C-alpha cells in the first residue's frame, strides 16, 4: 500500500513540475524582432556579430533582419517610413543621426526615456553625453547611439612622400590643403577630393560650420546655408575644381583606391575598411579648416530606434537596444567597424589596447566631442538632403555659380519646410 502512495506522490510531483516548466516556457515565449538595417560588407562586419552575440545572451529573442543594400541612410529611412505607413513597422531600425526628426514625426517612433528610467541595468552615466544628445528630440530620447563617425582626412602616405610633402605634418587650413593639392597636381596626380556626396550634406555642413555658419537654425525655421559661410564654402570648392585640383565624382572611395589621389575628405568610418582595399598606407588627419583651427565635427553614423507597438515586443526591443550600449556590443562596434561606440569605459580600453594605432587614436578622440548633424524636420527631410547634394554637384560641374546655386536650393528647401 505504501508503495502505491509513493508512486502516486511521485506522479503528482512530476505533473506539478511539468506544469511549472510549461508555464515558464509560455512566460518566456520566443519573441521575434524585425530589425531594419543597412547591409554592405562593412556594415555586416559588425552587425552580424552583434545580432549573434545578443541572441546567444538572450535565447528567448530571435532577430530577423531586413536589409537595405544601397542608397544609404536615406533609402533605409524611406523603407521604414513606407512600412510605418502600411501599418507593418519594424520593431527596431537603424537610423542615421540626421534623420531622427523625420522618423519621430512619422508618428510611430517610441520614446525610450521611460525604458531608460525604469531599467536599473541601463547605465546612462557610462555613455558619452555628446553622443546620447544626438538621439534626443524635444528633450525625449528616441534613439540610442550604435556607432559614431566624424569627418576626417585620409592621406595617401606614399604619394605625399613622393611629391615632397610631409605625411606626418598634414595640411591644417584650406590654403595649406590647396597648396598640397597643387603640388600633387604638378607631379601628375589628383590633389584633393572633398566628399561632398557623402549623405548629401555632411561634409557641406562641416565646411560651413568651420567657416562660422550653419545649415539652418536648430528648429529649421530659418535656412542659413545660402549665407556668407555657405557662399565661401562653395566658392572654395568650385575654385578647386576650376584649378584642376579636385575631381568631380561621387565615387569617392573608388577614386582614392586608385592610388592617384593624395587627399580625401570622408568619414572616420573608413578607418577599418579603406586600408584593406588599397595597396598603400593610409594616414588619418583632422579635416582642414579655413584658419587651421581644430575642426568642429558633425556626428555621422547611426543609432537604433524602436517602432514596436506591442508591449511584449517593446520589452524585447528595449533589451536589444540596451545591449548595444554594453561592453560586449561596444567592443564589436569599436573593433570591427570604423565607428566609435558611446560606451566611455570601452573607449578608454580601446585607447590602451591600440595605443600605437594613430589612426584609431584620432577617430576615438574626435568622436568624444561631436556636434549634432543637422536633422531636417518632417517627411521632406530626405528630399531636402537630396536638394543640397544636387546643388553641390551642379556648382562643382560649373553649371551654376555658387551664389545662384545656393539661392536656388535654399528657395526649394524653404518651400518644402
Amino acid at each position: 500500500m505504501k508503495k502505491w502512495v509513493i508512486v502516486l506522490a511521485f506522479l503528482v510531483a512530476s505533473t506539478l513540475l511539468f506544469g511549472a516548466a510549461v508555464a515558464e516556457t509560455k512566460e518566456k515565449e520566443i519573441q521575434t524582432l524585425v530589425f531594419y538595417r543597412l547591409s554592405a560588407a562593412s556594415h555586416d562586419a559588425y552587425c552580424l556579430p552583434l545580432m549573434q552575440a545578443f541572441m546567444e545572451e538572450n535565447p528567448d529573442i530571435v532577430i530577423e533582419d531586413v536589409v537595405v543594400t544601397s542608397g544609404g541612410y536615406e533609402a533605409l529611412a524611406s523603407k521604414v517610413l513606407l512600412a510605418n505607413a502600411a501599418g507593418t513597422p519594424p520593431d527596431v531600425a537603424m537610423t542615421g543621426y540626421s534623420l531622427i526628426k523625420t522618423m519621430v514625426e512619422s508618428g510611430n517612433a517610441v520614446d525610450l526615456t521611460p525604458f531608460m528610467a525604469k531599467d536599473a541595468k541601463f547605465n546612462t552615466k557610462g555613455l558619452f553625453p555628446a553622443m546620447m544628445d544626438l538621439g534626443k528630440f524635444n528633450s525625449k530620447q528616441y534613439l540610442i547611439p550604435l556607432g559614431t563617425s566624424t569627418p576626417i582626412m585620409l592621406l595617401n602616405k606614399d604619394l605625399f612622400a613622393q611629391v615632397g610633402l610631409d605625411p606626418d605634418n598634414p595640411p591644417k587650413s584650406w590654403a595649406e590643403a590647396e597648396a598640397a593639392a597643387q603640388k600633387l597636381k604638378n607631379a601628375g596626380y589628383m590633389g584633393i577630393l572633398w566628399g561632398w556626396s557623402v549623405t548629401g550634406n555632411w561634409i557641406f555642413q562641416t565646411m560651413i560650420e568651420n567657416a562660422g555658419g550653419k545649415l539652418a537654425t536648430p528648429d529649421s525655421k530659418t535656412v542659413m546655408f545660402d549665407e556668407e559661410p555657405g557662399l565661401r564654402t562653395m566658392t572654395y570648392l568650385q575654385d578647386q575644381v576650376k584649378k584642376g585640383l579636385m575631381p568631380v565624382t561621387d565615387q569617392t572611395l573608388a577614386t582614392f583606391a586608385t592610388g592617384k589621389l593624395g587627399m580625401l575628405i570622408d568619414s572616420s568610418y573608413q578607418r577599418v575598411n579603406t586600408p584593406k582595399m588599397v595597396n598603400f598606407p593610409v594616414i588619418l588627419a583632422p579635416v582642414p579648416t579655413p584658419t587651421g583651427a581644430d575642426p568642429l565635427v558633425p556626428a555621422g553614423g547611426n543609432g537604433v530606434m524602436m517602432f514596436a507597438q506591442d508591449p511584449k515586443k517593446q520589452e524585447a526591443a528595449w533589451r536589444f537596444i540596451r545591449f548595444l550600449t554594453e561592453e560586449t556590443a561596444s567592443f564589436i562596434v569599436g573593433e570591427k567597424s570604423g565607428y566609435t561606440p558611446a560606451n566611455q569605459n570601452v573607449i578608454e580600453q580601446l585607447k590602451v589596447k591600440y595605443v600605437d594605432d594613430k589612426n584609431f587614436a584620432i577617430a576615438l578622440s574626435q568622436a568624444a566631442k561631436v556636434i549634432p548633424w543637422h536633422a531636417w524636420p518632417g517627411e521632406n527631410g530626405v528630399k531636402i538632403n537630396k536638394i543640397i547634394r544636387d546643388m553641390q554637384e551642379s556648382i562643382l560641374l560649373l553649371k551654376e555659380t555658387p551664389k545662384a546655386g545656393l539661392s536656388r536650393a535654399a528657395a526649394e528647401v524653404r518651400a518644402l519646410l
Side-chain angles (χ1 to χ4, degrees):
M1 184 68 177
K2 289 182 180 180
K3 183 176 180 181
W4 285 107
V5 171
I6 294 172
V7 171
L8 181 60
F10 174 77
L11 290 173
V12 170
S14 298
T15 302
L16 290 173
L17 287 172
F18 178 75
V22 170
E24 184 178 359
T25 300
K26 287 182 178 179
E27 186 178 339
K28 292 185 177 181
E29 70 178 76
I30 301 297
Q31 288 284 351
T32 299
L33 290 180
V34 177
F35 175 36
Y36 278 31
R37 69 174 182 88
L38 292 181
S39 176
S42 57
H43 285 290
D44 290 349
Y46 68 95
C47 284
L48 294 177
L50 275 179
M51 293 186 293
Q52 183 62 36
F54 174 76
M55 288 187 286
E56 287 176 0
E57 286 189 19
N58 300 269
D60 57 325
I61 300 175
V62 174
I63 297 180
E64 180 182 292
D65 60 339
V66 176
V67 302
V68 170
T69 57
S70 63
Y73 294 124
E74 289 81 4
L76 178 59
S78 295
K79 190 175 183 69
V80 174
L81 291 172
L82 286 172
N84 286 343
T88 56
D91 298 309
V92 286
M94 179 186 286
T95 304
Y97 292 132
S98 67
L99 293 161
I100 181 172
K101 289 183 180 179
T102 298
M103 305 310 289
V104 171
E105 292 179 354
S106 72
N108 285 322
V110 177
D111 176 15
L112 301 177
T113 312
F115 295 89
M116 295 163 55
K118 68 182 182 183
D119 189 346
K121 293 182 179 180
F122 183 73
N123 182 17
T124 306
K125 293 181 180 179
L127 305 175
F128 269 112
M131 293 194 201
M132 288 295 290
D133 287 346
L134 300 173
K136 289 182 178 177
F137 181 61
N138 289 340
S139 301
K140 296 179 179 179
Q141 193 82 40
Y142 283 97
L143 174 149
I144 296 295
L146 175 57
T148 300
S149 60
T150 53
I152 210 156
M153 180 163 63
L154 291 79
L155 304 177
N156 182 325
K157 184 178 180 179
D158 287 349
L159 278 193
F160 256 58
Q162 186 174 327
V163 303
L165 293 167
D166 182 2
D168 294 320
N169 185 28
K172 293 181 175 61
S173 69
W174 286 4
E176 290 175 359
E178 181 174 328
Q182 185 66 60
K183 199 160 189 178
L184 286 156
K185 183 200 172 190
N186 292 345
Y189 300 107
M190 293 178 280
I192 188 168
L193 175 52
W194 291 80
W196 56 273
S197 62
V198 179
T199 68
N201 66 10
W202 192 44
I203 302 302
F204 182 55
Q205 177 184 338
T206 302
M207 297 183 76
I208 286 180
E209 295 243 1
N210 283 290
K214 298 280 186 183
L215 289 181
T217 52
D219 60 8
S220 296
K221 290 183 177 179
T222 303
V223 175
M224 300 171 66
F225 65 76
D226 57 339
E227 297 176 359
E228 192 279 335
L231 180 60
R232 184 180 178 190
T233 293
M234 290 314 303
T235 299
Y236 174 80
L237 289 179
Q238 192 183 69
D239 283 348
Q240 303 308 291
V241 175
K242 287 180 176 179
K243 294 173 182 177
L245 306 179
M246 172 173 154
V248 182
T249 175
D250 59 3
Q251 300 301 306
T252 54
L253 294 173
T255 303
F256 188 64
T258 64
K260 298 178 180 179
L261 173 67
M263 297 169 281
L264 171 65
I265 313 300
D266 204 279
S267 169
S268 61
Y269 179 67
Q270 303 304 330
R271 177 188 63 83
V272 172
N273 188 44
T274 299
K276 292 178 180 178
M277 60 183 281
V278 300
N279 58 4
F280 53 85
V282 177
I283 291 179
L284 299 189
V287 172
T289 60
T291 63
D294 289 341
L296 300 171
V297 283
N302 67 73
V304 174
M305 299 180 70
M306 183 191 298
F307 294 93
Q309 302 301 308
D310 177 76
K312 288 186 178 180
K313 290 276 191 179
Q314 288 183 345
E315 190 275 333
W318 170 248
R319 283 164 59 188
F320 177 57
I321 292 173
R322 184 189 67 206
F323 169 79
L324 298 177
T325 69
E326 296 170 352
E327 285 206 2
T328 297
S330 297
F331 269 108
I332 291 173
V333 171
E335 295 186 311
K336 294 186 179 296
S337 79
Y339 286 139
T340 302
N343 188 302
Q344 297 186 66
N345 182 46
V346 169
I347 288 179
E348 292 307 312
Q349 291 183 62
L350 290 171
K351 286 180 180 178
V352 173
K353 186 175 181 179
Y354 296 95
V355 65
D356 295 326
D357 188 336
K358 293 182 180 179
N359 287 348
F360 208 168
I362 289 175
L364 291 173
S365 64
Q366 285 200 164
K369 49 189 178 184
V370 292
I371 61 174
W373 183 7
H374 187 81
W376 298 99
E379 61 183 16
N380 289 321
V382 175
K383 292 180 182 178
I384 290 171
N385 285 339
K386 187 174 187 307
I387 288 171
I388 294 175
R389 180 199 182 283
D390 292 347
M391 172 271 295
Q392 294 174 83
E393 184 175 38
S394 178
I395 291 172
L396 295 177
L397 289 173
L398 311 183
K399 294 180 179 179
E400 293 180 288
T401 65
K403 184 174 181 59
L406 287 162
S407 297
R408 174 186 57 76
E412 292 178 10
V413 170
R414 290 186 182 104
L416 288 176
L417 291 171

